[in-house]
Amino acid sequence: MWGGTAVVVLGGLLAAGCGGGVKDASGGSGGKAGKSAAGDYPVSVTDCMGAKTTFSEAPKKIVTSNASSLELLLRLGVGDQVIGTGFPPGKGTLPGALDAQAQKVDVLGKSVIPKEKLLGSGADLYIDTFAAMGGMGGGGMGDVPTEEEFKAAGIRHIYLKSTACAARSKSPVTDLSAVEADITSLGAVTGTSAKAKELVAGMKEKVDAVRKAVGGTEESKRPTYFFFDYEAGTKQPTVICNRQVANAVITLAGARNVFADCNSDRKQVGWEDVIAKDPDWIQLGVRNRGSDAANKKGFDEAQQWLETNPATKGLKAVKEGHFLRIGSEQTTIAGVENADTVEAIAKTLYPGKVGQS
C-alpha cells in the first residue's frame, strides 16, 4: 500500500512569499479574486510523514485518479486544466453544471488508469485520492508507477490527505477540518485560493448552523446511527469507523456512529455486530447512479434488503422505518457536499430544530 515510496499528500500547506516569509495557507492570504498572483508561489504541501513537495507555479495539465478530486477541481474553477481522469463520474452523478464539465474530461481509465497511459499523459500533476487503495486508487489492480517514474515523467504526485491519511490518523475524525485543509491546499496549488476560501466558508456556515441548533444535545440523548454501505456487499457489512470522514459527518449532525469505537477508517464486521448495536437510524449508503429514478431504485433495493433479511429485519431502525436516503459519496468522500450531508442528517434527526437554508 504505502510501500517504500514517498507519498505526497495535500494538507498542512505552507506558502512561501517573495520576501522569504512563510504564510499559513490554511488561513488564506486575502481575498484576491480569480487565480493567485505569481507572488503566491512557491507553495509547498506536506505528506502524512511531513515530507514536502513544492510548486513554483500553478499546474497546467492535471490528471485525477477519480471523480472526487475531479469534482473539487471543477468547483475551484480549474476544470480547463484537467486533461484526464480515472474512475470517471457517470453522467448525471455530479451536481448541477459540474456534470457537463466533467463529461468533457478525457477518460484515461474507467477504473484505475493504466500505468503507461498515466505516465505518457503529459500531465504535470496527478491527484490521487486513496493511498490506502494503492498509488492508483485501486489496490492491487494494475502496475503502479514508482515515485521515480512519476518524477522522470515530470509528474507531481499528490494525494487528498483527508482520505489518504485517514487510517493513519492518531485520533478520531470528528470535524471537517482535514477536508477544508484539502480544499485550501488545492486552491493554493492551483492558484485559486480565493475560490477555495469561499468554498470553505460556505461549508463552515452550514456546519456551524447545525452545531448551534443541536450541539447542546447530551451525548446520551443523541440517536445512534449506522451507515449501511449497501454496495460494499451484504454478505459481510463494511462499516464506517472513527477515522473516516463519514464519522465526522455523523458526529457533526448530532448523531452517534455505532462503530465509532473502531480505530480505523473502515472495517468488515458480522451482522451480529450490527444487531448488537441496534441503531436508531440507518443511512442507506447507495452510490449516485445518475438520475433520481435510478437512485430511488438503489435506495429501494437497500431498504428492501434490510426489511427482508432475517438478520436485520428485527432492528429497531428497520421496524420503525428510520431510514435516510442520502448518497454514499457525499458522506464518505471528502468534498464540499460533506457539509450538505451534515445538514441533511440533522434535519431528519432533529426535525424543526435545524433551519431550512
Side-chain angles (χ1 to χ4, degrees), residues 8-338:
V8 181
V9 196
L10 289 174
L13 184 147
L14 295 178
C18 292
V22 177
K23 61 184 178 182
D24 182 356
S26 64
S29 59
K32 286 180 296 201
K35 296 191 177 181
S36 301
D40 288 328
Y41 291 94
V43 297
S44 296
V45 291
T46 58
D47 69 7
C48 297
M49 308 304 291
K52 184 169 67 174
T53 294
T54 301
F55 291 79
S56 58
E57 61 181 357
K60 297 177 176 63
K61 296 181 178 180
I62 306 171
V63 169
T64 57
S65 67
N66 64 13
S68 57
S69 46
L70 170 60
E71 179 178 345
L72 285 177
L73 293 176
L74 294 175
R75 287 183 181 275
L76 287 169
V78 292
D80 289 346
Q81 277 74 50
V82 183
I83 62 171
T85 191
F87 289 101
K91 185 174 176 58
T93 60
L94 291 188
L98 299 183
D99 180 58
Q101 297 176 53
Q103 299 309 313
K104 295 178 182 177
V105 175
D106 286 343
V107 176
L108 300 183
K110 290 187 176 180
S111 57
V112 175
I113 301 174
K115 174 179 175 177
E116 294 76 15
K117 185 170 285 190
L118 174 57
L119 293 176
S121 66
D124 56 9
L125 174 61
Y126 175 60
I127 303 175
D128 211 341
T129 303
F130 296 107
M133 293 173 67
M136 295 290 289
M141 299 184 289
D143 190 12
V144 178
T146 64
E147 292 304 315
E148 290 73 22
E149 288 173 323
F150 275 119
K151 186 175 181 180
I155 302 174
R156 305 278 183 162
H157 181 199
I158 62 178
Y159 290 78
L160 294 182
K161 191 170 184 178
S162 55
T163 48
C165 302
R168 300 173 69 90
S169 175
K170 292 187 168 81
S171 59
V173 179
T174 57
D175 61 35
L176 299 180
S177 58
V179 179
E180 293 162 359
D182 273 344
I183 295 170
T184 299
S185 296
L186 268 182
V189 167
T190 59
T192 57
S193 289
K195 182 61 178 177
K197 185 177 181 180
E198 177 186 319
L199 293 175
V200 169
M203 292 175 67
K204 286 180 179 292
E205 183 179 1
K206 286 186 179 180
V207 172
D208 286 348
V210 172
R211 184 184 290 115
K212 183 177 179 181
V214 305
T217 307
E218 292 180 26
E219 187 71 14
S220 62
K221 293 182 179 179
R222 296 185 175 209
T224 55
Y225 196 95
F226 172 53
F227 179 89
F228 174 38
D229 195 343
Y230 176 63
E231 289 173 314
T234 55
K235 185 176 182 181
Q236 186 176 11
T238 298
V239 302
I240 296 296
C241 297
N242 64 27
R243 275 23 175 200
Q244 224 280 337
V245 68
N247 185 69
V249 170
I250 294 166
T251 302
L252 289 168
R256 289 181 287 161
N257 175 16
V258 292
F259 287 98
D261 55 351
C262 166
N263 295 324
S264 183
D265 53 353
R266 296 173 186 263
K267 179 183 179 181
Q268 283 196 316
V269 300
W271 280 111
E272 64 274 13
D273 297 303
V274 178
I275 293 169
K277 302 289 188 181
D278 199 17
D280 297 316
W281 289 88
I282 297 176
Q283 180 175 338
L284 305 174
V286 174
R287 294 171 196 147
N288 195 317
R289 301 185 178 187
S291 71
D292 290 342
N295 290 337
K296 181 181 182 302
K297 182 179 179 182
F299 287 129
D300 286 346
E301 290 171 359
Q303 182 171 331
Q304 183 179 31
W305 190 91
L306 289 169
E307 291 174 335
T308 58
N309 188 275
T312 57
K313 65 181 182 180
L315 290 171
K316 177 168 57 176
V318 175
K319 290 191 294 185
E320 295 179 357
H322 281 182
F323 301 109
L324 291 90
R325 297 186 168 212
I326 301 173
S328 178
E329 294 95 334
Q330 66 201 69
T331 311
T332 63
I333 302 294
V336 173
E337 289 192 303
N338 293 154

